[in-house]
């Protein structure tokens, strides 16, 4: 089973599981599909790595209801990936780049992934969990409320 993240969806429930599932089924068997209605993202689980690779390649940037979907492998634990802690970062200023956000978190530990969701003012940072729970809690305390490009960002586990 391979987990895929889908993002940059229209918020408010207008994009549903029924809109997303058929797009992925073209590439292989979908075992689970869950759009998080009011947040503009979701997850699709596919039964084979090859099917998932094809889906990510073909569907990343696919336009659905006027938005280009972001489709990528979810960096959850397992499948040989490093154990990471996923952090939600809210109130990101328009125009902030992935690199700018990554630069804030790099001093605390290895950032394995960093994505600002365009036009949404939020993003996700995946940091190596090997730094320990104490360090992760410390970085949340220190960076929550930090001013980046004129906005005080919100950092949550």
């Amino acid at each position: 089973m391979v987990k895929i993240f889908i993002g940059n969806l229209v918020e408010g429930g207008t994009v549903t599981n029924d809109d997303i599932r058929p797009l992925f089924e073209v590439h292989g068997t979908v075992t689970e599909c869950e759009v998080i209605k009011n947040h503009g993202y979701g997850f699709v689980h596919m039964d084979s790595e090859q099917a998932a690779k094809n889906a990510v390649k073909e569907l990343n940037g696919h336009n659905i209801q006027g938005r280009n979907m972001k489709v990528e492998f979810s960096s959850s634990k397992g499948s040989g990936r490093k154990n990471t802690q996923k952090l939600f970062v809210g109130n990101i200023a328009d125009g902030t780049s992935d690199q700018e956000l990554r630069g804030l978190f790099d001093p605390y530990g290895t950032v394995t992934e960093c994505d600002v969701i365009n036009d949404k003012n939020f993003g996700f940072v995946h940091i190596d969990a090997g730094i320990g729970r104490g360090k992760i809690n410390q970085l949340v305390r220190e960076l929550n409320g930090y001013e980046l490009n004129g906005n005080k960002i919100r950092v949550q586990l």
Side-chain angles (χ1 to χ4, degrees):
M1 192 274 303
V2 182
K3 187 175 180 181
I4 299 169
F5 170 82
I6 52 173
N8 200 35
L9 302 174
V10 176
E11 293 178 14
T14 61
V15 177
T16 68
N17 297 343
D18 294 335
D19 296 317
I20 299 297
R21 182 181 280 271
L23 296 174
F24 285 83
E25 286 177 336
V26 168
H27 302 283
T29 303
V30 173
T31 56
E32 192 177 329
C33 177
E34 187 64 40
V35 173
I36 314 302
K37 289 186 180 128
N38 294 322
H39 298 285
Y41 70 92
F43 297 94
V44 174
H45 296 230
M46 298 191 78
D47 73 343
S48 89
E49 189 157 337
Q50 190 55 53
K53 281 181 183 174
N54 291 341
V56 168
K57 182 178 174 218
E58 294 298 319
L59 294 173
N60 187 37
H62 179 81
N63 188 304
I64 185 160
Q65 295 185 14
R67 287 247 176 102
N68 293 334
M69 222 176 14
K70 183 170 195 152
V71 181
E72 61 190 22
F73 288 99
S74 177
S75 61
S76 59
K77 298 174 192 134
S79 65
R81 286 198 167 87
K82 210 179 214 184
N83 185 7
T84 63
Q85 173 66 56
K86 183 177 183 180
L87 301 167
F88 170 83
V89 184
N91 199 35
I92 297 173
D94 288 335
T96 300
S97 70
D98 295 349
Q99 292 78 17
E100 287 175 293
L101 188 60
R102 178 185 290 267
L104 271 185
F105 289 82
D106 272 337
Y108 293 92
T110 303
V111 175
T112 58
E113 190 177 342
C114 179
D115 294 301
V116 174
I117 309 301
N118 294 331
D119 304 322
K120 292 293 187 186
N121 302 99
F122 72 86
F124 296 98
V125 174
H126 300 259
I127 195 160
D128 180 5
I131 64 172
R133 177 65 58 197
K135 275 267 211 194
I136 291 170
N137 287 335
Q138 177 187 352
L139 86 81
V140 169
R141 281 192 309 274
E142 290 180 10
L143 293 180
N144 189 41
Y146 182 90
E147 191 168 310
L148 176 64
N149 296 334
N151 282 17
K152 288 189 178 200
I153 60 170
R154 202 169 72 250
V155 180
Q156 299 171 326
L157 291 174

